[in-house]
Amino acid sequence: MAKNTASFICQNCGAAYGRWAGKCEACGEWNSIADEGAADRALPGRSARKGRLFELQPLTGETHDAPRLPSGMAELDRVTGGGFVRGSVLLLGGDPGIGKSTLLIQAAARLARGGHRVAYISGEEAVAQVRLRAERLGLGSAPVELAAETSVEDIVATLGQGKTPRLIIIDSIQTMWTDAVESAPGTVTQVRGAAQALIRFAKRSGAAVILVGHVTKDGQIAGPRVVEHMVDAVLSFEGEGSHQFRILRAVKNRFGPTDEIGVFEMSGLGLREVYNPSELFLSERDLGSPGTVVFAGIEGSRPLLVEIQALVAPTSLGTPRRSVVGWDGSRLSMVLAVLEAHCGVKLGGHDVYLNVAGGLRINEPAADLAAAAALVSSLAGAALPADAVYFGEISLSGAVRPVAQSATRMKEAAKLGFARAFAPDSARNEGASDTGLAFSTVNSLADLVAGIAASSNRTRVRLAPA
Ligand code: TYD
Ligand code: MG
């Protein structure tokens, strides 16, 4: 029988090899390559099974809304898309100590108080520790069912008895192990095997299962990336070390949007929901200092105003530094290149630092204009108007391009007391007039630079070429 050439498959990334190797060249994982052809070769004379016939369905027909279980925490429900879905599995990832266990015990307590059966299985902490935390949060009396267990078979057998729990929390998937797999607990294969068993249980019983997952230094959910593919939704809980803000973000969601964020604040009494994040992110502004600007952004369906800070200073190094926190480094390089090429702003001899205040991470290209304004303002030493917001995408030609949902951005700015918007002309037609904001058209980056240079009466650096 002809030997199948590429039957050794990396169990972490799926790369295929003709022979076994200790390390996967594609993803760098050790000991992850398994011989998937072995099963076929073991049964050389296996006859082809006759397929069972099944009925094909038309696309039209009766549909049922995913039966959801809202947690009652609005910020959490916003990210899941309206609640936990029956029979679905959700993976919650985040750095250690970010507050995953806190968030889940709070959600569990709420649901349990609402009369649902909720089980919290901790593989990391003893029952007493979980209890202690719940008591400290004032949730001691909630009828959550607790256990400190790590064997998936035991967990499935126990929870399969009696009325199925509506919600099962597994904290964390890396501590679980299953008899079905021979490798040691914590290995990629174990984590995957345990996740598979729990997913099967969720589908079979109709319980919603939440798996907590650790995140590695480079931001990936540790262990197999495959777990991310196996589950229905992946949420990530993020925050910057020294800040109290925590942001819950959907990375993948089969039953809802992936662009919504939930904002929380870690307090002495656990996680507090933040209903108006703009106020929070703008609460500590340095009004009127050069290099700070307010960006009118959109996160999912919700407008979000946030401060962007830049520092541009002469460098003492051979290669100037470019450092970004909360934004995309390659977008910064692009904005700097456009400033040099089309506006004559020379930054080759300057270090550039850009920071999004409050520990938020922005992904929108609409922040280009705000970032450019902050950079030019810092370079010129000229403060921007404190009552203005900025938004617009910059193209490589130096033009400022329209962005989506301009009216929503401006409405939020007006609500928070801003008086002026700097944006591309298209936004004016989108209802700038009914928000009451004064509108300043910025159709090219050169306009913006000229405007800032003109307003600065102590320009340290010549911004535009003679
Ligand atoms: P935890 O939920 O245990 O994090 P994770 O499960 O993601 O590892 O949260 C631990 C951190 O949260 C810890 O540093 C203390 C802080 N914390 C508070 O500030 N207030 C609180 O009420 C609680 C319960 C925790
Ligand atoms: Mg924990």
Side-chain angles (χ1 to χ4, degrees):
M1 186 174 129
K3 196 172 165 200
N4 189 353
T5 45
S7 68
F8 292 86
I9 311 292
C10 170
Q11 304 298 302
N12 188 50
C13 70
Y17 297 90
R19 59 190 172 83
W20 190 84
K23 183 184 181 187
C24 172
E25 293 299 329
C27 67
E29 189 73 26
W30 284 93
N31 212 9
S32 62
I33 296 176
D35 184 1
E36 294 202 347
D40 287 349
R41 286 199 293 276
L43 301 167
R46 192 169 68 170
S47 64
R49 182 174 74 92
K50 236 186 166 182
R52 177 179 61 85
L53 299 181
F54 58 87
E55 196 185 336
L56 292 161
Q57 306 276 348
L59 194 53
T60 56
E62 214 179 319
T63 52
H64 301 283
D65 260 354
R68 289 187 185 268
L69 179 64
S71 67
M73 298 173 80
E75 294 295 302
L76 176 58
D77 290 340
R78 178 200 303 282
V79 179
T80 54
F84 306 119
V85 176
R86 194 187 267 277
S88 79
V89 180
L90 187 153
L91 179 67
L92 175 67
D95 289 325
I98 202 78
K100 300 180 294 296
S101 305
T102 308
L103 176 70
L104 292 177
I105 196 77
Q106 284 182 251
R110 269 191 182 238
L111 284 169
R113 283 193 173 146
H116 300 288
R117 185 175 174 211
V118 179
Y120 188 105
I121 313 292
S122 178
E124 294 188 340
E125 293 166 290
V127 169
Q129 274 175 295
V130 180
R131 234 180 235 150
L132 211 66
R133 180 194 283 120
E135 260 162 35
R136 216 151 55 74
L137 299 174
L139 306 170
S141 63
V144 177
E145 298 174 42
L146 285 184
E149 284 297 333
T150 52
S151 158
V152 171
E153 279 76 25
D154 296 353
I155 293 170
V156 166
T158 309
L159 297 180
Q161 281 190 328
K163 192 167 153 246
T164 310
R166 286 301 305 273
L167 181 68
I168 300 168
I169 294 162
I170 305 287
D171 190 359
S172 65
I173 185 64
Q174 275 96 351
T175 56
M176 296 293 141
W177 62 279
T178 165
D179 290 338
V181 178
E182 269 174 23
S183 31
T187 57
V188 169
T189 327
Q190 268 294 353
V191 169
R192 213 158 42 105
Q196 242 155 16
L198 290 164
I199 290 168
R200 262 198 313 272
F201 177 70
K203 305 280 172 220
R204 194 174 67 228
S205 67
V209 173
I210 302 181
L211 308 175
V212 174
H214 293 299
V215 164
T216 54
K217 274 186 239 80
D218 57 358
Q220 282 184 11
I221 294 182
R225 305 236 42 204
V226 235
V227 172
E228 289 187 33
H229 304 309
M230 282 155 54
V231 297
D232 298 300
V234 180
L235 306 188
S236 108
F237 206 32
E238 306 164 356
E240 283 294 323
S242 57
H243 294 286
Q244 296 307 304
F245 320 131
R246 300 285 184 267
I247 292 169
L248 186 66
R249 206 182 273 280
V251 180
K252 157 184 174 178
N253 195 347
R254 284 186 186 149
F255 304 109
T258 51
D259 51 358
E260 294 286 0
I261 62 168
V263 184
F264 298 86
E265 192 176 2
M266 184 59 98
S267 70
L269 282 174
L271 289 159
R272 200 175 61 74
E273 294 177 66
V274 176
Y275 299 108
N276 193 338
S278 297
E279 274 171 17
L280 182 84
F281 287 115
L282 294 178
S283 59
E284 294 155 11
R285 284 180 62 201
D286 345 334
L287 282 173
S289 50
T292 65
V293 53
V294 176
F295 164 54
I298 298 274
E299 284 288 343
S301 59
R302 180 160 60 165
L304 184 61
L305 266 51
V306 53
E307 182 179 315
I308 295 182
Q309 306 160 343
L311 178 64
V312 179
T315 184
S316 54
L317 305 167
T319 314
R321 288 194 63 130
R322 307 283 182 245
S323 172
V324 203
V325 178
W327 203 44
D328 184 5
S330 52
R331 285 213 84 86
L332 173 66
S333 310
M334 192 202 86
V335 169
L336 293 176
V338 176
L339 279 170
E340 291 220 3
H342 296 290
C343 312
V345 178
K346 298 274 179 266
L347 292 159
H350 289 78
D351 288 335
V352 173
Y353 301 90
L354 193 82
N355 177 38
V356 177
L360 190 72
R361 200 183 71 221
I362 302 179
N363 298 322
E364 267 193 295
D368 291 353
L369 188 67
L375 292 168
V376 176
S377 156
S378 173
L379 178 68
L384 299 168
D387 60 353
V389 296
Y390 291 75
F391 59 89
E393 180 181 343
I394 293 171
S395 71
L396 289 177
S397 67
V400 179
R401 303 174 34 145
V403 296
Q405 305 195 55
S406 302
T408 317
R409 297 171 199 268
M410 287 189 283
K411 240 179 250 154
E412 175 79 356
K415 202 170 90 193
L416 289 168
F418 287 86
R420 174 173 289 277
F422 287 84
D425 202 31
S426 60
R428 186 196 294 274
N429 315 328
E430 270 191 49
S433 47
D434 24 284
T435 59
L437 289 186
F439 192 85
S440 304
T441 305
V442 186
N443 279 329
S444 75
L445 198 50
D447 281 359
L448 177 84
V449 174
I452 296 173
S455 72
S456 133
N457 47 15
R458 50 177 203 95
T459 309
R460 286 184 288 126
V461 186
R462 200 163 48 97
L463 287 173

